[in-house]
């Protein structure tokens, strides 16, 4: 094992120029060495779903060293399986370590704000809890092998259009509730070695120069201990970026950025102490990387391929099934396999995550290998030949999906449709065969509402890695039971998605006008029908839910509130299978607009036929809270909360209501507080009563007690009302009241 670096000692010995050089890479993929002091360079390389280590001297995207291509994040997320994510992470870590790569550049936990984002295949979900849990498991897995990760792209990088410049205009509540929590969860649960800042601006400031994001939120609030690296080419003002908390610029603008840093320190614009902290973080990363590099180990190519196959199996979502699946074929029967994607599968996306796979299984070969003896499997790419095969066949499977040109890093889609020629072929095949099975390969959701009535069964396989062909054969033929669940809604049409009116923005700005209403949060608030809801996925077995119980411990006032939600799930069908129990929480009595329900926990349980399991899921105060911009913190308002568990966001099997108490949180009363706000505040109402008197039935005496008038002028500021002729309150008295109630602590600190 290499000698650990003496980080503080080295920082003292480095010259200013050497320090500046360490805050940049030395080439596209390496940190800068300082040979004089024995500081080596370490290497970073893309992920996230496979290692993309460029072969020596190559920068072409398809020419990296061979590596296992695991399912993309969009696929893996549909497994809802944290253990699987950890296992895949471990395998990725092994492959990176074998190639002496110190940091794998992933996972990406950006929220799927719009189904059009060209990089949705690289992201997990429209839901921050799901994305955060899965991202954390992935990071734990990779880092268990002595290899770091880079949690990306921080933050509000939810589109590719104008990605290097666009400003995401997003209010703080929406950031806190939707776009930041997945990052927060991964940081607090798994401490990734690095976080990668995004290209875009957030509310007008480049993420690479965003002090609030990189230092106040990431380090000071969440306790991030690692290094912040720029996305490749995301730095525009190097000294400002160092001051904001960005440690490493990649790739380096050699001779430019380092000179600017030196100059900024010399002319007093950048505190050298801040630069020293940055340098210390780079050295710590190098130190962490060196700890294991003497022993690169190796990996078992076959075992990783098998893991990729299992992962792809768990990631597929059975959207629809009239009973045709699993296919039950026997000697003498004919299976028609249609569509070029069966022979030449699409299993990963384009751009920096493109892996050079160790091998590729095709669905066609794997179906041929998997059918019972005597079953004839014939193939047609399309055209007239395909219709004829279908007419004669006992079973028909069509492979449809998005072409590579439809989705990629670097641009967004403009529609959600499958290619017209594929749908035409489906029409014609469905006209001659009434039980067509469709298997889909696409990295982001496609509209199905216009054609899925033509399919007897629909299996969404996503872009599922190099072993996707074997996985789909296992599922279609019943060697495995589908257990994936949608990590994103499939809407009826693009125009139903909440970001539709504000995507992808214009003139350098994109307004997140839909606020916290993203994905199912919007569809549910609008009570809108969807094709397949968030969390949906069928199985070859069935599951029953019973015995919902909610217990409460501690209290919000004391800061130790805990709710335990328990239910029993039973496999009531004939096959072994896995159910994903989903816990949603709603806050119908809250004073701000909230989604009707939000995912706050989930558990995947594997059950044999007839077997039951008790599932416990825990909630804390944060799970019940919203971000209040008025108080600048998380607020839990006392009231009844709706607790539901079920098999999807729209298939809630058990529901109950539970009351949770909490101290009242409100901004301090002042002259501009409204009459309603004064009356809602116990000390404010008491003070008004004392001054104005009360009627026999307890209302305020005079004009301010009239229910009819209060309904009209209750939202006027008290200072306006104090000037009205018929109100028995003058401004001097109001000032006294304000002074009196402000001493009473009517506002309590947020939980
Ligand atoms: C991408 C990152 C990637 C980096 C290095 C950038 O263009 O946004 O996700 O890690 O390139 O290839």
């Amino acid at each position: 094992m290499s000698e650990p670096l003496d980080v503080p000692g080295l920082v003292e010995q480095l010259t200013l120029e050497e320090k500046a050089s360490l805050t940049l890479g030395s080439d596209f993929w390496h940190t800068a060495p300082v040979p004089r002091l024995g500081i080596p360079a370490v290497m970073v390389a893309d992920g996230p779903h496979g290692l993309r280590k460029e072969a020596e001297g190559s920068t072409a995207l398809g020419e990296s060293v061979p590596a296992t291509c695991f399912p993309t994040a969009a696929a893996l997320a549909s497994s809802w399986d944290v253990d699987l994510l950890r296992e895949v992470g471990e395998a990725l870590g092994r492959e990176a370590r074998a190639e002496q790569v110190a940091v794998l550049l992933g996972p990406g936990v950006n929220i799927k704000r719009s189904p059009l984002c060209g990089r949705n295949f690289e992201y997990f979900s429209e839901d921050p809890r799901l994305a955060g849990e899965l991202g954390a498991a992935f990071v734990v897995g990779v880092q268990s092998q002595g290899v770091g990760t880079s949690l990306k792209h921080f933050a509000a990088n939810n589109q590719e259009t104008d990605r290097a410049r666009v400003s995401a205009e997003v209010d703080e509540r929406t950031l806190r509730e939707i776009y930041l929590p997945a990052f927060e969860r991964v940081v607090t649960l798994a401490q990734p070695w690095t976080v990668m800042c995004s290209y875009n601006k957030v509310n007008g400031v480049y993420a690479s120069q965003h002090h609030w994001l990189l230092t106040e939120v990431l380090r000071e609030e969440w306790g991030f201990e690692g290094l912040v690296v720029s996305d490749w080419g995301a730095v525009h003002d190097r000294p400002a970026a160092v001051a904001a908390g960005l440690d490493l610029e990649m790739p380096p603008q050699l001779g430019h950025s380092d000179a600017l840093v030196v100059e900024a320190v010399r002319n007093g614009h950048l505190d050298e102490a801040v630069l020293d902290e940055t340098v210390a973080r780079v050295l710590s990363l190098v130190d962490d990387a060196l700890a294991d590099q003497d022993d690169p180990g190796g990996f078992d190519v076959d075992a990783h391929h098998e893991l990729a196959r299992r992962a792809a199996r768990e990631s597929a979502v059975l959207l629809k099934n009239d009973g045709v699946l699993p296919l039950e074929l026997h000697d003498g029967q004919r299976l028609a396999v249609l569509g070029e994607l069966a022979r030449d599968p699409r299993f990963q996306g384009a751009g920096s995550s493109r892996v050079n796979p160790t091998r590729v299984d095709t669905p066609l070969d794997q179906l041929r290998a998997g059918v019972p003896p005597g079953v004839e499997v014939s193939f047609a790419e399309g055209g007239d030949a395909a219709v004829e095969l279908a007419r004669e066949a006992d079973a028909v499977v069509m492979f449809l999906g998005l072409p590579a040109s439809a989705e990629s890093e670097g641009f967004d889609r403009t529609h959600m449709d499958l290619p017209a020629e594929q749908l035409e072929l489906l029409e014609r095949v469905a006209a001659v065969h009434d039980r067509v099975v469709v298997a889909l390969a696409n990295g982001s959701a496609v509209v199905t509402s216009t054609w899925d009535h033509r399919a007897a069964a629909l299996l969404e396989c996503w872009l599922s890695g190099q072993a996707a062909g074997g996985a789909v054969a296992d599922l279609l033929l019943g060697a495995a039971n589908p257990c994936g669940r949608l990590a994103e809604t499939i809407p009826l049409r693009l125009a139903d998605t909440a970001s539709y009116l504000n995507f992808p923005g214009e003139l350098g700005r994109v307004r997140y006008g839909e606020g916290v209403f993203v994905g199912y949060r919007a569809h549910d608030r609008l009570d809108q029908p969807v094709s397949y809801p968030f969390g949906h996925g069928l199985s070859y077995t069935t599951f029953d839910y019973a015995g919902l119980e909610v217990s409460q411990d501690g209290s919000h006032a004391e800061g130790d509130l805990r709710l335990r939600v328990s239910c029993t799930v039973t496999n009531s069908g004939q096959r072994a299978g896995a159910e994903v129990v989903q816990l949603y929480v709603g806050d119908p009595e809250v004073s701000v607009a909230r989604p009707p329900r939000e995912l706050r926990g989930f558990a995947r349980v594997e059950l044999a036929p007839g077997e039951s399991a008790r599932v416990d899921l825990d909630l804390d105060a944060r799970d019940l809270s919203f971000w209040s911009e008025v108080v600048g913190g998380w607020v839990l308002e006392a009231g009844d909360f709706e607790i539901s568990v079920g098999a999807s966001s729209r298939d809630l099997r058990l529901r109950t209501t539970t009351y949770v108490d909490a101290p009242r949180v409100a901004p301090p009363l002042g002259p501009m507080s409204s009459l309603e706000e004064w009356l809602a505040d116990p000390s404010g109402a008491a003070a008004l009563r004392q001054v104005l008197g009360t009627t026999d039935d307890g209302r305020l005496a005079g004009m301010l007690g009239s229910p009819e008038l209060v309904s009209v002028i209750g939202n006027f500021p008290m200072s306006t009302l104090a000037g009205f002729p018929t109100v028995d309150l003058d401004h001097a008295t109001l000032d006294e009241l304000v002074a009196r109630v402000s001493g009473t602590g009517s506002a309590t600190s947020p939980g």
Side-chain angles (χ1 to χ4, degrees), residues 40 110 113 115 121 143 192 203 215 327 331 355 423 467 477-478 580 594 646 651 665 690 735:
N110 295 90
R113 174 175 176 245
F121 68 88
Q143 295 192 168
N203 295 322
T215 296
L327 297 173
D331 194 0
V355 175
L423 297 180
L477 299 175
V580 178
R594 293 190 79 173
D651 184 8
V665 178
Q690 215 174 19
D735 288 346

Side-chain angles (χ1 to χ4, degrees), residues 669-695:
L669 291 176
M672 286 305 288
S673 305
S674 69
L675 173 60
E676 280 163 353
E677 285 160 358
W678 276 78
L679 291 174
D681 184 286
S683 55
L688 280 180
R689 263 194 220 101
Q690 215 174 19
V691 169
L692 299 175
T694 51
T695 60

Side-chain angles (χ1 to χ4, degrees), residues 370-408:
V371 290
V375 173
E376 185 192 324
V377 179
S378 45
F379 168 77
E381 180 188 335
D384 291 302
V387 178
E388 288 316 308
L389 277 190
R391 198 192 304 277
E392 305 299 321
D394 297 287
V396 177
V397 180
M398 288 191 74
F399 286 82
L400 307 182
L402 290 176
S405 57
E407 49 181 351
S408 165

Side-chain angles (χ1 to χ4, degrees), residues 65-286:
V65 299
T68 311
C69 180
F70 289 96
T72 59
L76 285 173
S78 306
S79 73
W80 295 55
D81 186 344
V82 286
D83 296 331
L84 177 71
L85 269 283
R86 203 188 48 244
E87 246 185 287
V88 169
E90 285 163 4
L92 288 165
R94 269 194 297 276
E95 296 199 17
R97 182 169 165 163
E99 287 289 343
Q100 306 235 307
V101 167
V103 175
L104 184 78
L105 300 174
V109 295
N110 295 90
I111 293 300
K112 300 184 191 202
R113 174 175 176 245
S114 163
L116 298 182
C117 173
R119 242 177 146 171
N120 273 359
F121 68 88
E122 270 189 77
Y123 298 141
F124 289 115
S125 179
E126 67 188 28
D127 181 87
R129 171 59 66 98
L130 184 58
E133 291 287 334
L134 299 176
F138 178 100
V139 168
V140 167
V142 175
Q143 295 192 168
S144 70
Q145 303 305 306
V147 170
T149 52
S150 199
L151 181 66
K152 64 190 189 183
H153 306 90
F154 189 58
N157 180 186
N158 309 101
Q159 66 185 53
E160 293 299 283
T161 306
D162 203 14
R163 67 169 161 158
R165 301 178 307 182
V166 72
S167 176
E169 306 282 315
V170 46
D171 62 72
E172 185 173 354
R173 179 177 168 208
T174 302
L175 278 173
R176 296 285 191 168
E177 292 189 24
I178 303 293
Y179 295 101
L180 296 184
F183 289 96
E184 178 182 6
R185 213 163 178 84
V186 179
V187 166
T188 53
L189 292 180
Q191 279 292 351
W193 288 14
T194 78
V195 166
M196 186 189 292
C197 80
S198 55
Y199 286 119
N200 54 289
K201 300 183 193 111
V202 180
N203 295 322
V205 180
Y206 278 110
S208 61
Q209 293 165 215
H210 213 299
H211 190 269
W212 180 79
L213 268 181
L214 302 187
T215 296
E216 292 163 54
V217 172
L218 180 63
R219 291 192 192 286
E220 293 170 9
E221 285 186 32
W222 301 347
F224 176 60
E225 293 163 3
L227 166 147
V228 180
V229 58
S230 73
D231 200 343
W232 267 232
V235 176
H236 303 285
D237 179 337
R238 186 66 188 122
V242 175
L246 183 108
D247 301 304
L248 181 64
E249 177 181 349
M250 292 300 279
Q253 302 180 56
L254 289 171
H256 174 71
S257 301
D258 40 351
L260 289 176
V261 169
V262 169
E263 189 187 318
V265 172
R266 293 234 161 93
N267 66 22
H269 288 146
L270 179 66
D271 186 348
E272 190 162 354
V274 174
L275 179 63
D276 286 352
E277 284 174 28
T278 300
V279 168
R281 287 195 282 258
V282 175
L283 293 178
S284 299
L285 177 78
V286 173

Side-chain angles (χ1 to χ4, degrees), residues 172 176 221 555-560 621-622 624-638 661-668 745-751:
E172 185 173 354
R176 296 285 191 168
E221 285 186 32
S555 74
H556 185 44
E558 296 300 322
D560 61 355
R622 168 79 180 267
L624 309 179
S625 304
F626 63 93
W627 180 269
S628 164
E629 297 203 6
V630 178
V631 301
W634 295 102
V635 168
L636 192 170
E637 285 181 353
D661 202 9
R664 185 168 180 277
V665 178
S746 68
T748 53
S749 58

Side-chain angles (χ1 to χ4, degrees), residues 113 169-171 174 498-499 502 510-517:
R113 174 175 176 245
E169 306 282 315
V170 46
D171 62 72
T174 302
S499 58
N502 288 301
V510 50
R511 235 165 47 78
Y512 286 38
E514 69 285 357
V516 299
F517 298 100

Side-chain angles (χ1 to χ4, degrees), residues 498-691:
S499 58
Y500 181 70
L501 294 176
N502 288 301
F503 186 94
E506 64 231 335
L507 302 176
R509 288 160 34 131
V510 50
R511 235 165 47 78
Y512 286 38
E514 69 285 357
V516 299
F517 298 100
V518 175
Y520 69 92
R521 288 167 165 80
H523 298 299
D524 288 353
R525 175 92 182 178
L526 294 165
D527 201 13
Q528 222 170 22
V530 298
S531 282
Y532 299 101
F534 176 79
H536 169 79
L538 303 174
S539 165
Y540 297 152
T541 187
T542 50
F543 298 95
D544 290 345
Y545 286 66
L548 177 63
E549 279 173 354
V550 179
S551 59
Q552 241 185 82
D553 260 335
S555 74
H556 185 44
E558 296 300 322
D560 61 355
L561 179 70
R562 279 272 175 287
L563 274 73
R564 169 151 290 195
V565 180
S566 313
C567 69
T568 300
V569 188
T570 303
N571 181 343
S572 48
Q574 305 301 316
R575 281 171 165 265
E579 174 68 326
V580 178
V581 179
Q582 302 162 38
L583 166 62
Y584 294 88
V585 175
D587 186 5
E589 295 178 354
V590 71
S591 63
V592 297
R594 293 190 79 173
R597 67 193 65 88
E598 298 180 88
L599 183 78
R600 291 296 189 240
F602 58 93
R604 187 177 178 282
V605 273
E606 301 210 19
L607 296 170
E611 193 186 357
S612 296
R614 191 81 181 147
V615 173
D616 296 321
L617 294 162
D618 290 337
L619 298 170
D620 60 17
R622 168 79 180 267
D623 291 321
L624 309 179
S625 304
F626 63 93
W627 180 269
S628 164
E629 297 203 6
V630 178
V631 301
W634 295 102
V635 168
L636 192 170
E637 285 181 353
D640 282 336
F641 286 80
E642 283 177 4
I643 309 286
S644 334
V645 291
S648 87
S649 58
R650 294 259 169 117
D651 184 8
L652 305 171
R653 305 288 182 85
L654 305 169
R655 299 176 193 228
T656 189
T657 296
T658 195
Y659 179 81
V660 178
D661 202 9
R664 185 168 180 277
V665 178
L669 291 176
M672 286 305 288
S673 305
S674 69
L675 173 60
E676 280 163 353
E677 285 160 358
W678 276 78
L679 291 174
D681 184 286
S683 55
L688 280 180
R689 263 194 220 101
Q690 215 174 19
V691 169

